[in-house]
């Protein structure tokens, strides 16, 4: 669900977050309107508002894990985890983690990719949130859910700063899990 449908309709923070995100036309390929959240990170108030909205939502959900998807999930995940008293678990691209890891392959529009997590980073029964900057088709978040569930975690919800409504086809459910999105993309 979009934050505006969950009690934040008209909240000026959502407009400020939207305005802080730069749109880069035709990147990384023609026809793509890239939602560059690095400009959101340059605006301390909008960045703090983003984290605060997520913290307000998740503070009382008894979560013990915030799993961030590489790389932009790493910008938001640690701050949320610290604020709610959870650990942060990075979900990395291949060959970035030393030691024993488990992997989850997933299909992209142009090929396949992999997410990896350290073995033992998540314990069976832990309640987890997955965080990323943007959801379009949901493929990466679905892989993150599968990876965490293979380790025995209960994924409670996925959260993103930006969600492309036409790509998620109006459904805010991925692999049976709720999807919480702060704002729609700018054009």
């Amino acid at each position: 669900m979009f934050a505006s449908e969950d009690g934040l309709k008209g909240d000026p923070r959502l407009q400020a977050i939207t305005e802080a995100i730069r749109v880069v036309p035709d990147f990384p390929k023609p026809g793509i309107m890239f939602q560059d959240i690095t400009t959101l990170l340059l605006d301390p108030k909008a960045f703090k508002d983003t984290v605060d909205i997520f913290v307000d939502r998740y503070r009382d959900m008894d979560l013990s894990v915030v799993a961030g998807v590489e790389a932009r999930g790493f910008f938001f995940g640690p701050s949320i985890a610290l604020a709610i008293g959870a650990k942060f678990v990075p979900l990395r691209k291949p060959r970035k983690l030393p030691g024993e890891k488990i992997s989850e392959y997933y299909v992209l529009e142009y090929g396949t990719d992999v997410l990896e997590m350290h073995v033992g980073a998540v314990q069976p029964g832990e309640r987890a949130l997955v965080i990323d900057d943007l959801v379009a088709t949901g493929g990466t978040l679905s892989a993150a859910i599968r990876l965490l569930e293979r380790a025995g975690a209960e994924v409670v919800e996925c959260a993103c700063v930006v969600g492309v409504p036409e790509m998620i086809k109006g459904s805010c459910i991925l692999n049976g899990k709720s999807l919480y999105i702060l704002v729609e993309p700018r054009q």
Side-chain angles (χ1 to χ4, degrees), residues 12-25:
R13 297 177 299 174
L14 295 178
Q15 185 63 35
I17 291 165
T18 299
E19 291 171 1
I21 298 169
R22 173 176 49 190
V23 177
V24 182

Side-chain angles (χ1 to χ4, degrees), residues 72-165:
R72 292 176 294 271
F74 295 1
F75 296 148
F76 305 99
S79 297
I80 296 165
L82 285 172
I84 67 172
K87 63 183 170 184
F88 177 74
V89 175
L91 305 180
R92 304 288 318 257
K93 299 292 183 180
R95 297 173 303 282
K96 301 284 179 108
L97 291 173
E100 192 177 357
K101 56 200 160 285
I102 60 173
S103 304
E104 184 67 38
Y105 290 81
Y106 60 103
V107 177
L108 298 168
E109 172 182 343
Y110 49 85
T112 61
D113 210 341
V114 181
L115 285 178
E116 295 183 337
M117 176 178 69
H118 275 126
V119 169
V122 174
Q123 302 303 311
E126 286 192 294
R127 291 172 50 85
L129 165 69
V130 178
I131 184 88
D132 203 357
D133 69 322
L134 182 134
V135 59
T137 65
T140 305
L141 290 176
S142 292
I145 292 167
R146 291 191 306 272
L147 184 61
L148 289 160
E149 288 180 340
R150 282 181 41 220
E154 175 193 349
V155 177
V156 174
E157 192 164 81
C158 295
C160 292
V161 178
V162 181
V164 182

